[in-house]
Amino acid sequence: MNVKFWKRCRLAVAGILTVAATGCSFLPGGGENDVVEPATPSLSPVIEVSEDYYSSALPYMPNQTRGMLKETRFRIDFAHLELGMMDFSRDTFPTDKYLFREGQQIQKKQVQDWIAQEKEGATADGQRKTGMLVHVLEHNYMEKESQQLAGMVLGLSLSPVYKDGTGQNKVFSREELQDRGKQLAAQIVQSVRVDNPEIPMLIFLYQVPDANSTLVPGNFIMSGKVNANEAAISQWQPIDEEYLLFPSSNAEKQYPQQSLQFGKLIDQTQLFFGEFIGVTGLGRYMGGNLTELTITAIAEYDSRTEVLQFTQYTANQIDQLFDKNVHINLYVQTMNKPLAVYVRPVSGEPYMHLYRQ
């Protein structure tokens, strides 16, 4: 499942081109004479809008727990959580047979109660003063033909950081968080099954990012399955997902070869453009293998031709430095707006987009 998951997780570049509609395409068939309407570009770092993307069930209905994340003290990369759940679900609910709908079965009050109960239990055992459950996100999948509810997916956001009985900050290990998350998920499934006894379900455990990190997202750590007409999770599978920032001491320590490659990329871009450019990268690892690298190059460019030349040059360096089985996303931008996007997929041809405005 992890291999399929990674092959499908891509940048929403098609969405960028559709929503932005402000640039000139360097793909065959694009041209300066195309009529476009100015719009604010929007970037999504997780998933590709493609033929394998879910169609939405109509009319649109907002999620019943909408707005809850704003009430928490935790920073959650909601795009990664939401779109990651959607992409993992494709193995069970294929896009050609199911429609997507925001969660309608679980109410906000229900999630608030689960969070309060878990926190209360943590305090009662004398070992923790804070709970680990941050949020529960629900997705629904509808049969295309009947448009009836045919599947539910729950994402449990968990924090490994807590205060013990003495008030000291502690952190659950990955294994501890998985074990506690499985116990919590069993209780939540039992509660949900009261009103939805026959609907198959998928459960995902998501570890929220470090509170001090603004660049590295959280990661999925486990998935579980509840078969139709069953009241308990029948099987659990670990998800080995990790994100690392480049350049960083962690990346240098854990993956020295790729850290060296990224350092060479920085050196080459500075040779081309001088030292007025900042280059950072976010690497996504599945099972210890680099599967996606998103590179952001920030500088104040004087002209679009300068942006074009820089993007072409950097794309060439990327092709020389990084293995072809790594999906590459390159954002070229100022501090305030995107200027160019280059994508090198694992399969298919690379493509580039330059914004006019």
Side-chain angles (χ1 to χ4, degrees), residues 41-171:
S42 174
L43 302 179
S44 173
V46 181
I47 201 168
E48 181 181 12
V49 179
S50 67
E51 293 180 357
D52 198 29
Y53 202 74
Y54 284 105
S55 298
S56 298
L58 298 176
Y60 172 75
M61 299 179 183
N63 199 301
Q64 295 300 298
T65 60
R66 185 176 183 179
M68 281 194 66
L69 288 176
K70 296 179 181 178
E71 302 170 4
T72 73
R73 62 184 178 86
F74 298 92
R75 185 192 74 80
I76 298 179
D77 185 339
F78 191 71
H80 179 64
L81 167 65
E82 188 171 39
L83 297 176
M85 283 172 54
M86 185 181 291
D87 203 74
F88 270 124
S89 300
R90 285 175 173 159
D91 289 335
T92 303
F93 307 112
T95 58
D96 61 339
K97 296 181 180 179
Y98 296 88
L99 302 173
F100 173 82
R101 171 163 281 167
E102 304 279 4
Q104 301 296 310
Q105 306 305 309
I106 298 174
Q107 303 300 310
K108 182 176 181 179
K109 180 63 167 57
Q110 214 169 352
V111 175
Q112 290 172 331
D113 288 344
W114 289 335
I115 293 174
Q117 290 167 9
E118 198 279 324
K119 184 177 181 180
E120 183 179 347
T123 304
D125 66 18
Q127 297 178 351
R128 290 186 287 146
K129 289 187 174 181
T130 54
M132 67 177 179
L133 181 62
V134 176
H135 182 59
V136 178
L137 178 65
E138 176 198 358
H139 285 170
N140 293 159
Y141 290 93
M142 324 296 288
E143 270 190 353
K144 273 192 174 181
E145 295 298 325
S146 65
Q147 297 207 14
Q148 297 298 309
L149 179 64
M152 294 177 63
V153 179
L154 302 184
L156 278 60
S157 295
L158 309 174
S159 172
V161 181
Y162 67 97
K163 290 184 181 296
D164 65 11
T166 65
Q168 298 294 314
N169 287 327
K170 296 294 180 68
V171 179

Side-chain angles (χ1 to χ4, degrees), residues 297-317:
I298 300 177
E300 292 300 323
Y301 300 88
D302 291 331
S303 69
R304 284 301 189 274
T305 55
E306 188 176 39
V307 173
L308 173 59
Q309 292 178 77
F310 174 80
T311 306
Q312 290 174 328
Y313 175 83
T314 306
N316 182 61
Q317 296 302 312

